[in-house]
Amino acid sequence: MYRETGKKLGLRSLKMMLVLGSVIFLGGCGNLNPMSWFSEDTEPPAELTEIEAELTVRIDWSVNVGNGQGDRFLQLTPAIDGGVIYAASDNGDVVAVNTANGEVIWRTRTRELISGAVGAGNGLVMYGTPTAEVVALNQDDGSELWRASVTSEVLSPPKTNGDVVVVQTVDDKLVAMDAESGQRRWIYETTLPTLTLRGTNTPVFVEDTVIAGFSNGTLISVAADNGIWNWDARVAVPEGRYDIERVIDVDGQLMVEGNTVFASSYQGNLMAFDAETGRVVWGMEASSYHGPDTGFNNIYFTNDRGHVVAVRNNSVDIAWDNDSLDRRRVTAPRTINNYVAVADFEGYLHMLSQLDGRIVGRIRVDRNGIRANPLVYNSRLFIYGNSGRLASVSFQ
């Protein structure tokens, strides 16, 4: 069942918007940073309570990556390819680390600000800059291969299929460059709303197409080689009188399972579409700026308050809703074995049971907090803290 409705913020949240210090105006449009929506006039984050630990969670190794997320509220999530994890810092460090033992394979100090990072694969490690450039490094040694100008700041990781590199920019354009030379191949444009969240969706490749979500609440599919339109679909419809009530960005990372692509929007819906046709497969009302994950025949997502929610697949039935992390700015959920992992603004990693959502394990990874989404590889979690600490976490 699909209910195409938007969830209004209401007067309390409208008041909250008026006291925000994180509204940045770019080209006449406003960017809101949801990760900094806390002040004395709003509800405080929930205090952590003691748990009955059922897991022993430990850090196996950690590596420092520059100044990490910096102070610009970035979300520089690393990438894993071929047993190597690649991470970048706000102040320009890019590292390649062996996931098995934490050995640094190479480190490149680019000496430039990085705002969108990192994508990795097909011989490339890619990042974007606040000065509207995309840079490709050699995956073997970190040397620069090419750089290309795009239309505006890049806040999400570039992606490649080996033929093209695609990136989404903050002015809501999808740009494709030749993977070998960096020369522009095509560009897809949409209309940018008056007010948006500060962030962009990360495009995904599905066979020979690119699928991406935009600030106007739409999902589009175009041909990867030439950018020709295949289909577009609505994840959410703007509602309300005020611009802030009409914010419906599709910012969370898309999830692809088989021929189905899942997308979530802020103040909108959590939806599933047929990747070939754009036909709606499933949907429910939800508000999230993170992408979902699946497991135990459930779909897991973190909503805009930080609740971790499990929905039974192909239904709107809530299996469980853990609200103990309310307003703790939790990351996207990641399923691993029998658990769901999320991290929060104080740097804690929380392990929840997929069965009933109770927290069964916890460890503090970075005292500066965690904004980057956890990564899962070979039954281990990889956490990138705000201070620049990149850590491998295991549990038993």
Side-chain angles (χ1 to χ4, degrees), residues 25 34 61 85 122 179 243 296 302 338 342 388:
F25 290 95
W61 57 255
I85 184 167
N122 294 284
D243 285 337
F296 282 28
T302 52
N338 299 327
V342 296

Side-chain angles (χ1 to χ4, degrees), residues 25-218:
F25 290 95
L26 298 172
C29 296
N31 281 174
L32 297 177
N33 192 333
M35 302 298 282
S36 61
W37 284 10
F38 294 89
S39 78
E40 61 184 7
D41 296 323
T42 66
E43 296 178 54
E47 295 288 339
L48 293 182
T49 58
E50 289 189 14
I51 63 170
E52 187 174 339
E54 301 175 23
L55 287 175
T56 299
V57 187
R58 66 174 183 269
I59 296 174
D60 296 320
W61 57 255
S62 66
V63 171
N64 180 264
V65 186
N67 71 339
Q69 306 291 339
D71 57 4
R72 294 182 292 140
F73 288 96
L74 299 175
Q75 188 179 328
L76 303 175
T77 298
I80 297 177
D81 184 62
V84 178
I85 184 167
Y86 303 89
S89 67
D90 165 73
N91 65 344
D93 276 17
V94 184
V95 299
V97 181
N98 187 314
T99 58
N101 56 21
E103 177 187 356
V104 176
I105 300 170
W106 54 257
R107 181 186 297 266
T108 297
R109 292 185 168 91
T110 69
R111 305 188 188 281
E112 65 182 336
L113 292 178
I114 293 177
S115 55
V118 287
N122 294 284
L124 303 178
V125 176
M126 303 150 291
Y127 64 86
T129 74
T131 55
E133 285 189 313
V134 172
V135 181
L137 306 180
N138 187 312
Q139 200 167 5
D140 293 331
D141 60 14
S143 60
E144 184 173 317
L145 295 175
W146 54 258
R147 63 177 54 223
S149 295
V150 290
T151 57
S152 65
E153 182 180 15
V154 178
L155 291 176
S156 62
K159 296 291 183 179
T160 186
N161 65 351
D163 178 45
V164 294
V165 172
V166 293
V167 70
Q168 198 159 339
T169 54
V170 296
D171 58 353
D172 254 11
K173 292 180 174 59
L174 184 64
V175 183
M177 295 142 284
D178 185 89
E180 185 173 350
S181 66
Q183 183 176 357
R184 184 177 298 181
R185 293 265 287 265
W186 53 263
I187 184 169
Y188 183 92
E189 302 185 25
T190 63
T191 302
L192 186 68
T194 303
L195 193 65
T196 72
L197 299 182
R198 179 165 172 75
T200 61
N201 184 246
T202 301
V204 295
F205 288 93
V206 181
E207 295 183 352
D208 57 353
T209 67
V210 178
I211 300 177
F214 291 90
S215 299
N216 60 8
T218 61

Side-chain angles (χ1 to χ4, degrees), residues 238-291:
E239 292 187 351
R241 177 180 176 182
Y242 300 100
D243 285 337
I244 193 171
E245 296 179 298
R246 299 175 65 83
V247 175
I248 52 170
D249 295 51
V250 181
D251 271 1
Q253 187 171 358
L254 304 177
M255 180 182 70
V256 179
E257 281 203 342
N259 200 44
T260 302
V261 57
F262 293 80
S264 58
S265 68
Y266 180 68
Q267 300 188 126
N269 302 294
L270 176 61
M271 303 288 297
F273 301 91
D274 183 281
E276 185 176 349
T277 65
R279 177 182 61 86
V280 174
V281 175
W282 167 87
M284 65 176 290
E285 186 176 346
S287 179
S288 178
Y289 43 84
H290 291 305

Side-chain angles (χ1 to χ4, degrees), residues 293-316:
D293 206 348
T294 59
F296 282 28
N297 204 35
N298 291 330
I299 299 170
Y300 304 101
F301 70 96
T302 52
N303 68 19
D304 57 4
R305 289 189 63 101
H307 298 190
V308 186
V309 183
V311 183
R312 292 186 177 88
N313 204 358
N314 294 318
S315 78
V316 293

